[in-house]
Amino acid sequence: MKKSLSILLILAFMVSVLAACGGGSDGGEEAGSKVEITVLVGKQEIAQQFEEMVKEYNESQDGANVTVVSTAGQNGYERITTLYAAGNAPTIMHFLSEFGEMQSKLADLSDQEWVQNANEGTLDYVTVDGKVYGMPMSVEAFGLLYNKSVLDQAVGGSFDPATIKTRDDLKALFDKIEATGAKAVEISPVDWSLGAHLTSVYMANESDTHEGRLQYIEDLKSGAADLNADEAFNGWLDTFDLLKEYNISKDAPLAALYDDGPMLLADGEVGTWFMGNWAYTQIKEIDPDGEYGFLPLPISNDASDPGNSSISVGVPEYWAIDKEQSTPEQQQAAKDFLNWMVSSEKGQDYYVNKFNFVPAYGNFAVKPQDPVSTSMMGYMEAGNTLAWMNNYYPPEAFPSMAASLQKYLSNNIDRAGLVKEFGDYWKSLG
Amino acid sequence: MYQEKTFFGKLKVFGIFGFIPLFAFCTVIVLPFLIGIYMTFTDWNGSASNSSYLGFVNYADAVRDPAFWTSMWLTLKYVVVNLILTNVLAFVLALLVTSGFKGQNFFRAGFFTPNLIGGIILGFVWQFIFSRVLVYFGSEFGWGLFSSSWLGDPDKALWALIVVGVWQNAGYMMLIYVAGLIGISGSLTEAAGLDGASWLRQLFSIKIPLMIPSFTISLFLTLQKSFMVYDTNLSLTKGDPFRSTELIAMHVYNEAFVNQNLGPGQAKAFILFAIVAIIAILQVSAMKKAEVEA
């Protein structure tokens, strides 16, 4: 009797364990009357502020309850694939280069209000057959960030970024900065800055049209593009040589850390730093009242080259809604939440003032006031922008090109070696 | 204690004691491992709902990739140096903290502490030491070796990884050696001492031969840990400069998740498993033969 009872208990235990493991929840139970939706936020720099905003949203209405899911230390896309495999996909997520793989799982957002307000060109990347599948998170820009007080001193007066139109202008400016005792430029040797951002500058200069630039990447793969005879590429490399020569970390260029950048620039030890507007958050902490702005990175000595007076502006991430594992009610609740984020006064306030995002929409009543965003919006309004070609790179392109550029920066390979490594990498894809 | 004769009786005892660990082991180790092997023969990309059978294509891609072998060679160098330094240091420390001086228990705890800190944190702490503290002292006192950060130079960055690896693991191995040293009966060393054997003589003729089991365990653990190191690699160098310090675990991870080549990445992981398993089995079986009884 006792024996059979214990066996029964064991069997019951086994069954319950197996049942608990086998039955995946669909993640869509409604708690009370609220629709439960989840948001995966991979941007650590806004995680805390985002939580606060979600809390306010949950208290402001009783239709949906939003929960923030963290990436648990993985990069965003890894986390997304893990959650999908576990049958527990987030309702709202954000990503960029994985859009091609994810597209079949995403809800169509074409009928949303914000589609009308989005800045021109910001939806190109997520539009397939005339349908929009992603919502631009923000716009970001990179170029040569400068500290105005250092440059004012260098030029003896108020520095105007419009005076820099050619590589020689830039070199003259660098010499003036060095004459004041400061150093001219800081290059952060992090792989995404060199391999994705810096290379994007030359690729964007390859053609005036979107199709032409995409074609250029195809030509690189097929070997049709000859880097040695490539005007934009060689001009860009000459500019990189200039940066390399005036680099404050010239003695140990690869030992420079990203965190050195904001400190050097804000303390006025360097005049310029190749970086983007996201760095202003850190600069502001050191030097809250300083004036900062963007300089273009000229890649030729022809002042009429449009690329020489432009900075690179693009959308770093897109919000997207899952339709594969989310109920129609959840999808609707997700759309409402995203809409609230960019159309309500509260959402816009968080967007601009707490996340420090530069909105990708024309209908924002709240406008960023800080100097870097202002400088960036000046370029955007004048139409002086270059595309972010790194959005179209295959996933291993930026680490490969960054490795070559790091070798070049630290004189481990010469110019011919760099050209060869670039060419070999792209041809390996063809 | 348990003398069950019937099959059900045996099953009951097993169910009480062995089922839960076995179940956990199967679900979190064996099953993913088997699924992983199956994945190496398909073209599944991580998010697609279906995949097709490929055969050995992924393995062919994996062994044809020069970066894989570069990384493997680098890891081998790292493992050998790490293995020797960690165990020599651990053994010396073990001899020191069992020599009977005052406060030796405090030192035992101290040397063991690095092991209690997670590898990620360690990596960041040492990154700060290498790129700020040492550079500061180097430029202040004109030490050429530390004038620029070790992490910016490919060869020195590997040494930086080794320094951190040794520092992290030596304390743990020290404890194993301490246990081995304490386990040697005092009568043996005493007798040898009466016969006029010097301290060194005792060490090489009595202590070390009797401690072979400790060496077996320590060498196995160091081998396995250094082959699989990922956390300190990630937080200390992230594979930089120009991917010259990408150890094999990081290489496999990047291949699978960063470059999104899950099939070849998984194949590399399996090749790595096979290599480490073979080396570890050879090491353990060779050392088992060397064990002696007092």
Side-chain angles (χ1 to χ4, degrees):
Chain A
M1 178 63 220
K2 250 170 114 177
K3 198 177 286 182
S4 57
L5 190 69
S6 55
I7 290 169
L8 270 179
L9 278 175
I10 292 164
L11 285 174
F13 171 75
M14 284 187 191
V15 169
S16 65
V17 168
L18 289 171
C21 292
S25 67
D26 60 352
E29 304 98 21
E30 293 189 20
S33 62
K34 284 195 164 192
V35 183
E36 292 286 332
I37 56 172
T38 51
V39 185
L40 180 78
V41 182
K43 276 182 105 68
Q44 286 310 314
E45 55 271 40
I46 61 158
Q48 199 188 336
Q49 295 88 330
F50 198 87
E51 294 251 10
E52 287 165 22
M53 182 181 81
V54 162
K55 201 165 152 236
E56 285 209 27
Y57 179 72
N58 287 339
E59 286 162 4
S60 73
Q61 44 78 50
D62 44 23
N65 185 39
V66 186
T67 319
V68 179
V69 187
S70 81
T71 49
Q74 298 173 290
N75 76 42
Y77 185 61
E78 278 164 52
R79 184 77 177 140
I80 290 171
T81 50
T82 314
L83 288 169
Y84 264 94
N88 199 2
T91 329
I92 305 175
M93 59 212 134
H94 64 84
F95 47 75
L96 177 77
S97 58
E98 296 82 9
F99 176 72
E101 276 112 50
M102 294 294 299
Q103 195 249 309
S104 60
K105 300 184 170 61
L106 302 178
D108 177 6
L109 306 175
S110 312
D111 56 351
Q112 295 297 299
E113 190 187 329
W114 49 258
V115 172
Q116 313 309 326
N117 301 323
N119 291 347
E120 197 174 341
T122 51
L123 298 176
D124 290 353
Y125 190 76
V126 285
T127 307
V128 179
D129 303 331
K131 292 201 175 79
V132 178
Y133 291 94
M135 171 174 151
M137 192 188 268
S138 62
V139 276
E140 288 187 344
F142 53 80
L144 275 178
L145 269 179
Y146 66 87
N147 180 337
K148 191 164 184 294
S149 65
V150 177
L151 271 53
D152 285 352
Q153 212 184 339
V155 298
S158 180
F159 174 75
D160 175 15
T163 54
I164 308 298
K165 287 211 178 333
T166 65
R167 190 184 313 118
D168 289 346
D169 292 345
L170 189 65
K171 186 174 185 321
L173 177 71
F174 282 180
D175 286 325
K176 284 180 195 157
I177 299 173
E178 302 241 309
T180 66
K183 287 274 181 252
V185 65
E186 157 77 352
I187 306 172
S188 293
V190 281
D191 53 5
W192 45 266
S193 179
L194 292 176
H197 297 170
L198 195 68
T199 54
S200 168
V201 174
Y202 106 76
M203 295 226 187
N205 274 299
E206 286 290 349
S207 162
D208 297 332
T209 64
H210 180 64
E211 290 71 29
R213 292 188 289 264
L214 291 182
Q215 186 54 48
Y216 175 74
I217 293 186
E218 292 310 310
D219 289 349
L220 277 175
K221 290 181 191 170
S222 66
D226 177 15
L227 286 173
N228 285 313
D230 189 326
E231 202 184 330
F233 173 76
N234 283 300
W236 168 81
L237 211 48
D238 291 339
T239 304
F240 186 58
D241 283 342
L242 176 72
L243 297 180
K244 188 175 146 182
E245 187 188 337
Y246 285 88
N247 183 5
I248 186 174
S249 316
K250 198 174 168 180
D251 298 336
L254 300 184
L257 301 175
Y258 174 81
D259 292 338
D260 296 341
M263 287 193 243
L264 292 169
L265 191 69
D267 291 342
E269 288 184 51
V270 290
T272 63
W273 176 33
F274 182 75
M275 203 34 76
N277 61 317
W278 53 86
Y280 184 64
T281 330
Q282 274 177 291
I283 294 170
K284 194 168 59 177
E285 284 173 14
I286 308 169
D287 182 16
D289 306 323
E291 276 274 329
Y292 295 86
F294 278 112
L295 277 178
L297 198 66
I299 63 164
S300 74
N301 271 328
D302 178 359
S304 61
D305 249 338
N308 286 358
S309 44
S310 302
I311 58 169
S312 305
V313 177
V315 177
E317 297 270 317
Y318 287 89
W319 295 108
I321 298 177
D322 158 73
K323 70 169 182 199
E324 206 177 56
Q325 299 181 10
S326 310
T327 61
E329 294 77 35
Q330 286 177 314
Q331 291 176 42
Q332 191 50 53
K335 287 176 185 172
D336 294 345
F337 171 68
L338 289 182
N339 237 331
W340 174 87
M341 209 159 57
V342 295
S343 61
S344 74
E345 202 180 316
K346 264 267 179 302
Q348 290 191 356
D349 177 54
Y350 265 100
Y351 232 67
V352 171
N353 298 327
K354 301 273 168 39
F355 303 167
N356 291 317
F357 281 173
V358 177
Y361 307 94
N363 65 324
F364 264 56
V366 191
K367 289 236 189 307
Q369 301 298 333
D370 67 88
V372 171
S373 303
T374 312
S375 160
M376 176 177 155
M377 289 193 290
Y379 282 100
M380 283 158 68
E381 278 154 23
N384 287 334
T385 58
L386 290 168
W388 277 24
M389 292 315 292
N390 44 307
N391 291 0
Y392 300 93
Y393 292 175
E396 66 274 15
F398 86 81
S400 304
M401 289 196 284
S404 307
L405 284 168
Q406 286 174 341
K407 287 179 198 167
Y408 185 69
L409 192 64
S410 57
N411 294 326
N412 278 296
I413 51 173
D414 60 1
R415 191 168 176 139
L418 178 74
V419 174
K420 187 179 174 309
E421 284 197 9
F422 265 40
D424 287 353
Y425 164 71
W426 284 102
K427 279 184 207 117
S428 74
L429 302 171
Chain B
M1 202 167 145
Y2 289 100
Q3 304 292 330
E4 266 70 12
K5 296 282 183 287
T6 60
F7 170 73
F8 271 111
K10 287 185 175 141
L11 185 71
K12 186 178 82 171
V13 173
F14 168 76
I16 294 169
F17 291 108
F19 174 73
I20 296 173
L22 184 74
F23 179 80
F25 181 73
C26 285
T27 46
V28 303
I29 308 273
V30 178
L31 207 61
F33 186 75
L34 294 174
I35 294 172
I37 294 179
Y38 166 74
M39 268 178 58
T40 59
F41 295 106
T42 66
D43 62 354
W44 191 61
N45 66 356
S47 62
S49 39
N50 49 14
S51 59
S52 55
Y53 181 77
L54 283 181
F56 282 90
V57 174
N58 287 330
Y59 286 92
D61 284 350
V63 297
R64 268 205 306 262
D65 181 5
F68 176 62
W69 297 112
T70 316
S71 179
M72 191 63 103
W73 176 237
L74 181 83
T75 311
L76 221 55
K77 283 192 274 192
Y78 172 84
V79 169
V80 169
V81 178
N82 221 353
L83 195 73
I84 295 167
L85 288 183
T86 305
N87 285 289
V88 167
L89 183 67
F91 190 66
V92 170
L93 288 178
L95 287 174
L96 283 175
V97 299
T98 52
S99 57
F101 66 92
K102 218 174 143 89
Q104 61 177 18
N105 286 347
F106 169 76
F107 281 95
R108 269 186 215 183
F111 291 133
F112 182 69
T113 308
N115 225 287
L116 302 175
I117 309 169
I120 293 282
I121 312 263
L122 276 187
F124 283 124
V125 169
W126 278 91
Q127 188 187 53
F128 177 75
I129 293 175
F130 279 120
S131 54
R132 300 253 192 258
V133 181
L134 289 178
V135 172
Y136 173 79
F137 283 113
S139 53
E140 206 69 3
F141 299 109
W143 299 333
L145 187 59
F146 296 115
S147 59
S148 73
S149 169
W150 279 25
L151 303 177
D153 176 306
D155 300 331
K156 286 184 188 157
L158 183 66
W159 279 102
L161 277 172
I162 289 170
V163 167
V164 177
V166 170
W167 185 77
Q168 186 186 9
N169 289 321
Y172 187 75
M173 302 306 153
M174 174 195 80
L175 280 196
I176 296 174
Y177 289 131
V178 166
L181 280 168
I182 291 176
I184 296 170
S185 148
S187 60
L188 292 168
T189 46
E190 216 168 295
L194 287 174
D195 287 340
S198 67
W199 182 84
L200 266 184
R201 183 81 206 174
Q202 285 180 31
L203 180 69
F204 284 105
S205 300
I206 295 173
K207 287 182 181 168
I208 290 183
L210 284 175
M211 278 179 62
I212 296 287
S214 305
F215 280 103
T216 312
I217 297 170
S218 294
L219 288 176
F220 172 76
L221 284 175
T222 326
L223 195 74
Q224 181 262 336
K225 277 186 182 196
S226 351
F227 255 114
M228 298 298 172
V229 71
Y230 178 78
D231 47 7
T232 45
N233 193 188
L234 179 76
S235 55
L236 190 68
T237 70
K238 210 176 159 240
D240 283 344
F242 43 85
R243 300 167 91 180
S244 61
T245 58
E246 207 174 68
L247 294 173
I248 193 74
M250 181 179 267
H251 175 82
V252 167
Y253 180 91
N254 288 352
E255 179 77 16
F257 296 107
V258 179
N259 302 348
Q260 294 166 23
N261 299 326
L262 270 161
Q266 183 65 28
K268 285 176 181 180
F270 188 68
I271 295 170
L272 171 65
F273 161 80
I275 291 175
V276 177
I278 289 165
I279 294 178
I281 289 168
L282 287 176
Q283 178 252 323
V284 171
S285 60
M287 293 196 63
K288 278 279 177 221
K289 288 196 184 79
E291 287 181 17
V292 292
E293 292 289 329

